[in-house]
Amino acid sequence: MRPIIFSKMDFSHSNLFGYIEDLQELTIIERPVRRSLKTPEEIERLTVDEELSDIERAVYLLSSGQDIQGTSVVANLPVLMRQNPAETLRRVLPKIREVLHVAGVEMQLTAAVSFLTVLQEESVSIHTYSHSFLHIILQNLEHRDAGVSNAWLETLLAVIEALPKETVRHEILNPLVSKAQLSQTLQSRLVSCKIMGKVANKFEAHVIKREVLPLVKSLCQDVEYEVRTCMCRQLEHVARGIGTELTKTMVLPELVELARDEGSSVRLAAFETLVNLLDMFDADDRSQTVLPLVKSFCEKSFKADESILVSLSFHLGKLCNGLYGIFTPEQHLRFLEFYKKLSTLGLQQENGHNDNQLHLQTLEQEKKYISVRKNCAYNFPAMIVFVDPKNFNLELYSIFFCLCHDPEVPVRYTMAISFFEVAKLLNSDVYTIHKELVTLLQDESLEVLDALVGHLPEILELMTNGGENSGSESKLLSIPDLIPALTTAEQRAATSLKWRTHEKLLQKYACLPHIISSDQIYYRFLHRMLTIILTNNVLPVQKAAARTLCVYLRYNRKQEQRHEVIQKLIEQLGQGKSYWNRLRFLDTCEFIMELFSKSFFCKYFFLPVLELTHDPVANVRMKLCCLLPKVKSTLKIPTDKHLLQQLELCIRKLLCQEKDKDVLTIVKRTVLELDRMEISVDAFQKRFYENDLLDQEKERQEHLLLEMEQLEKEKQKNEGRSTNINDKMFEKKRRDSKTSSVLSKSINLSVSGSSSGTSTGKEEKKSKLVRSQSFSTQVLHPKYSNIDKCPNKSSATGYTSSVSGMGRSCMLSFSDDSFRTHSTGNNGNAAFPSGSSRSLFNSADQKSSGNKESQSRKMSM
């Protein structure tokens, strides 16, 4: 075989000239296309004299312009009515009426919208509108194009609501009698049906009975199924207009007859109208008329009429609760089983046949089954009410499990939306659905996650408290997979392109301090928020992460962890190499000023913020200048006088040294705003009273966190010390067990004395633990605290005085107990004080050792 020779491209002058000729041929082909857009003559015809007024230009374009120009005039009709209504009605509107006779579809649709806009804006009185516009609407109502006819019909139905009764009677209702006859076109009769439903709410019951109901009956018996269907859907409005009594005698018989119609769409419309009118029927009508019809619908839906399945599944919840009072136990169970069957429709094998024996389902049938299961998911909260929440685990949990694990996304999406309603209904039994919560959090579809996250804080709160009426305070110990599911959901949202879902998720995660412990948040979520701020490229996501991180920092219960996070924020954001990180540091400082007290911000973040006045990037300095008024509002005089001096020094440097024009403009504007500001003082002022109360409440909660941490440390130390004492006593007992029985008795006595001392120590630890738990509930649930309950001016420093007073009371109680032990020491029944348990324990050891020595001397003698 001869080798294949690959020819190289020749870029010589001749070949290159050939390429250029080919390109020129392409351009020649395009030239006629460009020239064919508009010729100079056409452009000349489209040109309008600029000196014409708006009214004159509109009349000219409607008279001699092209269709596109006429359409623009019709679209601009509401503007002309606002500017000059009299001239528009006199000159422009008659031209529009003439043009609409021969206008195309686009101008007709535009005119219908413009007429409706004029009505909604109330540019003219309703009398003038009915005189000028109503006739044009009625003329175009029976347009040959169905879309145009529906557009004018929507406009007319909106106009009917605003028109007076007499105008509706003469202009609309009287001509309707002839338009609803069988001799009229199908389109005319369909329009008449819809107008009937609208007019029924306009007049009194006796007028409707005399003038409207005969037309309604004739249209319900029309030869065309489309007319019967349309009129059947309007029977609900007619029934609302005539009242309960006439509905029972006039409308219900028509509905029963239409429910047995040969057309499936007519039967479907009758069924839906019956369900919507359940509240207007009494118990006899429901049990004798409605219930048999509903049962026949349910029986036929699987056998002969599957077209009603989707509608039946959608209205089943409303139907079951509407007929709840008349159900027998057998009927109740039958409807429940019917719902269960619909919930798994298309998923399980029926009649024992294998998949190979079943016929292949068409695509439309699969879509129908998906819609049925989706409707069952929509009705699930209503079915919980139907069976009673107490019976959920027995009757509906298996269906709930199937719907949450459905293979189709729309079904799981609907379950995620209704999950909060289910949790509220279950109340104290909400723990039974925690596995499904984890499943939906780990769902592969972000649409499902987005639907669930909308009410995630409320769901987790219900899970935590065990329902609204439960007193449980467990921190979701029964859901070990919750934290991994939350972290997995966030990571999956972060790796997707749907940043809005990610932002929403991060915003909702701010509720976690009320749900899980501080350490779990610190190790599993807090550092992740900092990573998102540093690495994510979407600004709303970074801001959401920054705010959630500040919330986590606000409720963190360990001072070392708080200091570590603050240091990282300052070093990695405030002093970061990227100007983007420094901008995010300023955003974070805004959230800190919102969530923390003024003293906290001044202590940790005031000076790092001022350091950014020397930032080399103008955008950072610009953002800082916009933030300076808020920064100044955190100062209190005279406590923060040195910080105020630092702020004024930085502003002077900016005014003197700033070279960027935009930054300098903002600096000057900021200086004027800062001069107008008044700084709050340490004492309360009337103008800042509410803000000072809020700030004092924040500061009080921060102090409570510090005290709570101190109490927990003391509790851990005391527990460690008590374990060491118990180990020593156990070793002592083991060592002295080889001595005589008399010695063992004395040792047991000493051990009992020491155990009584340690028991009082345990009581002290329990009391401290109770205090710490009460503090934690106050701090972790600020929404239950009331600002009005904050101390007034006299208690501005109430926190420190209360702490010192507590210490004094403790010392007094200790001294009183010590006196008591001295006075009752001879009886041996003294109540040991909790604070002096260690000293009493030592005295008990000394006494026991003295007893041991005396016993040994007796033995030797």
Side-chain angles (χ1 to χ4, degrees), residues 399-430:
I399 299 301
F400 184 73
F401 178 86
C402 292
L403 291 173
C404 288
H405 292 80
D406 196 276
E408 299 298 331
V409 173
V411 181
R412 303 198 305 273
Y413 174 83
T414 309
M415 285 305 299
I417 290 177
S418 60
F419 198 94
F420 175 53
E421 296 296 327
V422 174
K424 280 198 303 184
L425 289 170
L426 292 181
N427 204 1
S428 58
D429 294 333
V430 70

Side-chain angles (χ1 to χ4, degrees), residues 792-810:
N792 51 15
K793 293 182 182 178
S794 62
S795 61
T797 58
Y799 171 73
T800 55
S801 63
S802 64
V803 173
S804 60
M806 182 182 66
R808 290 173 191 168
S809 63
C810 292

Side-chain angles (χ1 to χ4, degrees), residues 136-152:
I136 304 176
I137 296 171
L138 293 173
Q139 284 176 4
N140 296 278
L141 198 59
E142 297 181 16
H143 197 273
R144 59 183 178 275
D145 186 272
V148 173
S149 178
N150 289 330
W152 284 112

Side-chain angles (χ1 to χ4, degrees), residues 779-797:
V779 175
L780 292 178
H781 297 278
K783 61 184 179 180
Y784 298 116
S785 62
N786 194 349
I787 297 173
D788 297 335
K789 295 180 182 179
C790 294
N792 51 15
K793 293 182 182 178
S794 62
S795 61
T797 58

Side-chain angles (χ1 to χ4, degrees), residues 190-208:
L190 290 174
V191 168
S192 301
C193 292
K194 294 181 180 179
I195 294 176
M196 289 287 182
K198 199 68 175 180
V199 167
N201 296 322
K202 196 75 180 176
F203 297 99
E204 294 80 8
H206 64 88
V207 177
I208 299 173

Side-chain angles (χ1 to χ4, degrees), residues 581-803:
N581 289 340
R582 299 195 294 275
L583 288 174
R584 298 295 73 76
F585 176 72
L586 294 175
D587 290 331
T588 307
C589 288
E590 282 194 71
F591 296 133
I592 287 172
M593 284 186 279
E594 175 192 347
L595 296 170
F596 289 82
S597 64
K598 296 178 180 179
S599 59
F600 182 90
F601 177 80
C602 292
K603 182 178 180 180
Y604 295 107
F605 291 96
F606 192 92
L607 294 177
V609 168
L610 292 186
E611 288 178 4
L612 293 178
T613 54
H614 308 292
D615 197 276
V617 179
N619 287 353
V620 179
R621 301 196 302 274
M622 197 180 301
K623 188 174 181 65
L624 172 64
C625 292
C626 297
L627 191 64
L628 284 178
K630 288 185 178 180
V631 172
K632 186 179 179 181
S633 66
T634 61
L635 297 176
K636 289 183 179 180
I637 299 300
T639 306
D640 301 325
K641 188 175 181 181
H642 63 290
L643 296 178
L644 179 61
Q645 293 173 353
Q646 292 287 335
L647 177 63
E648 292 174 350
L649 180 62
C650 291
I651 293 171
R652 289 195 196 99
K653 286 183 179 179
L654 282 172
L655 283 172
C656 298
Q657 300 175 4
E658 185 57 54
K659 298 178 181 179
D660 190 280
K661 293 181 180 180
D662 297 329
V663 179
L664 190 59
T665 303
I666 294 178
V667 170
K668 292 178 181 178
R669 193 170 62 205
T670 305
V671 168
L672 295 175
E673 188 176 352
L674 291 173
D675 288 339
R676 290 194 297 267
M677 285 183 62
E678 295 185 18
I679 304 177
S680 62
V681 295
D682 288 339
F684 278 86
Q685 291 177 312
K686 289 184 178 179
R687 67 188 69 183
F688 303 119
Y689 186 72
E690 292 184 2
N691 293 333
D692 289 342
L693 280 178
L694 287 171
D695 184 68
Q696 189 188 37
E697 179 66 18
K698 293 176 184 177
E699 195 168 348
R700 185 183 69 83
Q701 292 177 1
E702 290 164 8
H703 282 306
L704 286 174
L705 278 173
L706 293 173
E707 185 179 353
M708 191 165 59
E709 181 184 3
Q710 189 64 28
L711 287 171
E712 288 179 356
K713 287 182 179 178
E714 291 179 3
K715 173 175 170 285
Q716 291 175 359
K717 287 181 181 178
N718 291 334
E719 286 178 354
R721 190 177 294 115
S722 64
T723 53
N724 291 334
I725 291 172
N726 290 332
D727 291 342
K728 288 179 181 178
M729 294 306 300
F730 177 76
E731 191 67 25
K732 197 172 185 181
K733 284 179 69 178
R734 189 181 61 81
R735 197 170 50 236
D736 295 340
S737 61
K738 299 177 182 179
T739 59
S740 63
S741 60
V742 179
L743 280 173
S744 65
K745 290 179 181 179
S746 63
I747 291 171
N748 289 332
L749 288 171
S750 65
V751 171
S752 63
S754 64
S755 64
S756 63
T758 54
S759 66
T760 55
K762 289 180 181 178
E763 291 176 0
E764 177 192 3
K765 294 163 199 167
K766 286 181 180 179
S767 64
K768 288 185 178 181
L769 182 59
V770 169
R771 281 190 61 211
S772 67
Q773 288 174 349
S774 65
F775 290 150
S776 66
T777 54
Q778 288 179 356
V779 175
L780 292 178
H781 297 278
K783 61 184 179 180
Y784 298 116
S785 62
N786 194 349
I787 297 173
D788 297 335
K789 295 180 182 179
C790 294
N792 51 15
K793 293 182 182 178
S794 62
S795 61
T797 58
Y799 171 73
T800 55
S801 63
S802 64
V803 173

